[in-house]
Amino acid sequence: MLEKFKMNASLFRYDNGSVISQKSAFKEVANNVSKIMKIDSKRVIDSIENREKTNSTALIEGLAIPHIILKGNFSPWLYIFKSDKDIADWNCLDDSKVSILICLIVPQPVNQQDDNFKKMHLVINKLAEDDIVSQISKTETARQVVDILRS
């Protein structure tokens, strides 16, 4: 049963920063993800922007879940970014400003049998719980977000 999976460290990477626009947030995320994956940051930015053009990934209470879909054979993972400022031009459904990004880093094509993919699915399901979103919205660091998602 999926609930028995332990949320290990390989599923999460995280960082804190200070951004005030969606463009600067995407650039910061792309720079960090590209360093981790050892790829060109333009590939990451293009993926984030293309997905965001389809539909906003902003949810509620300052939380957004940008998608980064990259060609390649790697295990999916999550990159958590917490800005110490609200992102002025990125509104959530409740009119709050985004400050926490939970980025999905997924290969194309995705292997749905991959353990990290299954764990990621559990994490995303947690974001449907009001109390989890509320806890996340009150965090001060990306590490605190990870701790909530791992529990």
Side-chain angles (χ1 to χ4, degrees):
M1 186 161 213
L2 289 179
E3 288 78 19
K4 293 183 180 178
F5 277 116
K6 180 151 176 70
M7 299 296 171
N8 60 18
S10 71
L11 182 63
F12 298 97
R13 302 291 192 308
Y14 59 91
D15 202 5
N16 301 298
S18 188
V19 296
I20 56 171
S21 70
Q22 187 183 57
K23 184 176 182 170
S24 62
F26 287 171
K27 185 176 180 181
E28 183 75 17
V29 167
N31 286 338
N32 292 326
V33 169
S34 67
K35 284 178 191 171
I36 293 167
M37 295 189 69
K38 297 176 178 40
I39 60 172
D40 182 26
S41 64
K42 182 167 178 6
R43 286 180 56 197
V44 180
I45 286 177
D46 288 348
S47 179
I48 296 171
E49 289 177 346
N50 287 338
R51 172 58 181 87
E52 200 67 27
K53 286 177 190 171
T54 303
N55 202 12
S56 176
T57 58
L59 299 177
I60 58 172
E61 296 193 46
L63 181 64
I65 52 167
H67 301 50
I68 300 169
I69 302 167
L70 301 167
K71 291 185 185 206
N73 184 18
F74 61 91
S75 196
W77 54 285
L78 297 163
Y79 178 74
I80 314 302
F81 180 78
K82 172 75 170 100
S83 177
D84 64 357
K85 296 181 179 2
D86 289 340
I87 299 172
D89 61 350
W90 199 358
N91 293 337
C92 291
L93 299 172
D94 62 0
D95 289 327
S96 64
K97 301 291 184 184
V98 171
S99 64
I100 301 168
L101 287 70
I102 300 175
C103 305
L104 314 176
I105 319 314
V106 183
Q108 185 182 42
V110 67
N111 174 2
Q112 294 186 6
Q113 300 308 310
D114 184 285
D115 282 347
N116 269 9
F117 180 79
K118 293 174 184 177
K119 293 172 192 174
M120 184 184 288
H121 189 12
L122 289 175
V123 169
I124 299 309
N125 285 342
K126 285 183 175 191
L127 297 176
E129 299 174 28
D130 292 339
D131 62 322
I132 296 292
V133 171
S134 180
Q135 288 176 44
I136 289 171
S137 72
K138 295 174 183 149
T139 59
E140 294 182 16
T141 67
R143 176 60 199 213
Q144 291 171 334
V145 175
V146 170
D147 290 344
I148 290 167
L149 294 174
R150 288 182 73 188
S151 63

